[in-house]
């Protein structure tokens, strides 16, 4: 079956699309990427999405317009990847506006902006969307969802294997080994902390809005890392919390950036601030990988926009002692394909009635088939 996956992450820089052929057993499908494309959001749309994600108030009419415009751009991204309309099914994540993890007796909630039926009508193809709500209803975090697809698409090796996505948030997957005492261990995964959210906000702030990100980490590379302050940040409650855990801009957003800049001191040099923030993004991952009782993974496969930040990748390699840090592209999945491929697989699983969630990752009471199916309206009368 040919399935199109559409994904826009916390960075809200645009939409990654992957057209993939899937067949065989759901738990270990045979897959082949047929096409992929990245469609950036227009600057104005991105600014409004980020503003809503930072809690800027919007009236109902503005939110409705935003949902419609975003859905139309998802359709544009689909056509850019699949201009001949070969896809038989579409899996679309939508754009996360707000994520509230479970806390004590209060269930979690998550809002992915999308008009699923409209997208199905625009593409003339069934669309699976709203992937997180069922897991949340079962007491889970609804995130991360990609570890289940990592296990199905990539499989295991002779030791623990880690996969890292450096999007707005850094999230990890840990795959148990094929042999040895840990071979029966469950797949694990969680959100470590910020990857690009604080960095991109800081770059926009320091450049007066002229720049949206630190290209290749060149600005941060000119600075000095405040290691003492970095170690204090690594003791914060979220960073120290045990999985399951999930997060987003509601925790690592504009207010959090202002607090960290204040802690670095009035008049901190922008390069020093960016160097320390970049090191923090790497250090939260390294700390999680080294946390007992889990053995240190043999390799860390890295994907996401952060892989294009050379300074961030250097920091990962320096801080992840004893683990080989490699690009996920070595496994045939490019940096910007992993999550779109994951949501294509989750949509296929919905079509096949196969559970897409892992309670060992999300903390839900049981596995569940994820997503809501929207069918294009029948033609004619």
């Amino acid at each position: 079956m040919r399935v199109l996956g559409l994904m826009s992450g916390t960075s809200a820089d645009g939409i990654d699309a992957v057209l993939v052929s899937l067949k065989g057993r759901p738990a270990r499908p045979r897959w082949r990427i047929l096409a992929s494309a990245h469609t950036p959001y227009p600057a104005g749309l991105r600014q409004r999405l980020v503003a809503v994600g930072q809690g800027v108030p919007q009236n109902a009419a503005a939110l409705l317009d935003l949902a419609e415009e975003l859905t139309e751009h998802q359709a544009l991204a689909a056509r850019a990847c699949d201009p001949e309309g070969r896809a038989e099914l579409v899996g679309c994540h939508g754009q996360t506006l707000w994520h509230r993890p479970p806390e004590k007796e209060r269930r979690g909630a998550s809002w992915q902006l999308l008009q699923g039926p409209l997208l199905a009508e625009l593409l003339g193809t069934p669309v699976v969307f709203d992937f997180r709500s069922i897991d949340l209803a079962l007491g889970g975090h609804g995130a991360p969802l990609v570890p289940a697809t990592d296990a199905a698409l990539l499989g295991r090796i002779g030791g623990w294997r880690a996969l890292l996505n450096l999007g707005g948030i850094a999230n990890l997957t840990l795959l148990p080994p094929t042999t040895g005492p840990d071979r029966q261990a469950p797949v694990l995964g969680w959100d470590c902390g910020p990857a690009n959210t604080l960095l991109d906000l800081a770059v926009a702030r320091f450049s007066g809005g002229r720049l949206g990100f630190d290209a290749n980490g060149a600005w941060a590379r000119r600075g000095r890392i405040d290691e003492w302050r970095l170690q204090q940040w690594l003791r914060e409650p979220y960073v120290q919390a045990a999985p399951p855990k999930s997060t987003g801009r509601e925790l690592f957003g504009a207010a959090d950036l202002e607090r960290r800049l204040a802690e670095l001191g009035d008049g901190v040099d922008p390069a020093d601030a960016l160097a320390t923030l970049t090191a923090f993004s790497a250090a939260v991952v390294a700390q999680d990988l080294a946390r007992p009782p889990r053995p240190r993974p043999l390799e860390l496969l890295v994907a996401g926009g952060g892989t294009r930040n050379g300074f961030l990748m250097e920091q990962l390699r320096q801080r992840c002692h004893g683990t080989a840090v490699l690009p996920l592209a070595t496994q045939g999945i490019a940096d910007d394909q992993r999550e779109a491929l994951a949501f294509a697989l989750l949509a296929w699983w919905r079509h096949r009635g196969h559970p897409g969630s892992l309670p060992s990752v999300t903390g839900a009471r049981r596995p569940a088939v994820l997503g809501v199916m929207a069918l294009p309206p029948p033609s004619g009368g």
Side-chain angles (χ1 to χ4, degrees):
M1 186 177 200
R2 293 182 299 275
V3 186
L4 182 70
L6 299 170
M7 175 65 188
S8 176
T10 313
S11 295
D13 56 351
I15 304 159
D16 294 325
V18 167
L19 180 65
V20 59
S21 169
L22 291 162
K23 59 181 68 174
R25 294 189 304 115
R28 286 305 307 274
R30 300 190 303 276
W31 58 275
R32 182 165 62 94
I33 294 176
L34 305 174
S36 65
H38 175 77
T39 302
Y41 283 138
L45 176 58
R46 181 177 190 270
Q47 289 167 2
R48 281 179 286 145
L49 289 169
V50 171
V52 174
Q54 296 294 156
V56 176
Q58 302 282 329
N59 62 39
L63 286 171
L64 185 62
D65 289 346
L66 186 63
E68 188 174 31
E69 184 177 352
L70 176 124
T71 302
E72 290 167 347
H73 276 86
Q74 298 284 339
L76 291 174
R79 295 190 190 103
C81 181
D82 182 25
E84 297 174 357
R86 293 183 290 166
E88 302 162 79
L89 181 68
V90 175
C92 184
H93 174 263
Q95 181 66 54
T96 299
L97 295 186
W98 197 259
H99 182 74
R100 190 190 74 211
E103 185 175 4
K104 297 180 181 178
E105 300 304 315
R106 188 186 193 192
R107 74 172 62 88
S110 196
W111 184 6
Q112 281 69 52
L113 191 68
L114 185 75
Q115 294 180 344
L118 173 59
L119 184 60
E121 160 63 14
L122 291 173
L123 297 178
T125 308
V127 171
V128 182
F129 67 108
D130 192 16
F131 288 94
R132 302 188 189 274
S133 59
I134 295 175
D135 188 83
L136 287 155
L138 290 169
H141 280 244
L145 297 180
V146 176
T149 63
D150 286 336
L153 295 169
L154 292 168
R156 307 181 182 194
I157 58 174
W160 281 87
R161 186 183 215 182
L163 292 95
L164 172 67
N165 184 64
L166 292 174
I169 298 298
N171 48 65
L172 271 172
T173 296
L174 286 181
L175 302 178
T178 55
T179 59
D182 288 338
R183 68 184 184 279
Q184 300 298 329
V187 174
L188 302 173
W190 61 90
D191 289 347
C192 304
N196 295 310
T197 50
L198 298 181
L199 290 174
D200 291 350
L201 288 168
V203 166
R205 184 185 191 277
F206 291 140
S207 69
R210 291 183 298 104
L211 302 174
F213 60 95
D214 184 11
N216 199 32
W219 198 348
R221 196 186 301 277
R222 300 200 300 267
R224 179 185 62 84
I225 297 169
D226 186 337
E227 285 288 349
W228 184 88
R229 179 56 61 186
L230 175 59
Q231 294 304 315
Q232 301 306 304
W233 290 350
L234 290 175
R235 296 188 178 97
E236 293 174 355
Y238 181 86
V239 178
Q240 287 291 322
K245 59 180 182 176
S246 56
T247 189
R249 286 186 182 274
E250 72 285 345
L251 184 58
F252 296 107
D256 185 62
L257 173 65
E258 293 306 315
R259 190 258 301 178
R260 295 186 194 279
L261 294 180
E263 291 176 351
L264 289 171
D266 294 336
V268 62
D269 182 272
D272 292 346
L274 289 170
T276 305
L277 290 168
T278 304
F280 179 49
S281 292
V284 293
V285 174
Q287 179 171 270
D288 276 357
L289 290 178
R291 201 186 304 274
R294 293 182 301 274
R296 189 183 299 274
L298 296 180
E299 66 180 18
L300 176 65
L301 301 173
V302 189
T307 58
R308 296 187 286 275
N309 184 323
F311 186 62
L312 175 55
M313 294 298 292
E314 287 173 19
Q315 286 294 307
L316 270 176
R317 292 189 174 97
Q318 290 175 20
R319 295 174 187 274
C320 294
H321 307 292
T323 297
V325 178
L326 304 167
L328 180 60
T330 60
Q331 304 299 311
I333 302 174
D335 297 337
D336 57 357
Q337 293 177 337
R338 178 190 176 216
E339 292 198 312
L341 176 59
F343 282 91
L345 178 56
L346 287 168
W348 187 63
W349 281 346
R350 169 66 172 78
H351 171 73
R352 296 286 299 269
H354 182 77
S357 59
L358 293 174
S360 61
V361 172
T362 68
R365 291 188 292 275
R366 59 177 173 81
V369 178
L370 304 180
V372 175
M373 179 84 77
L375 301 176
S379 58

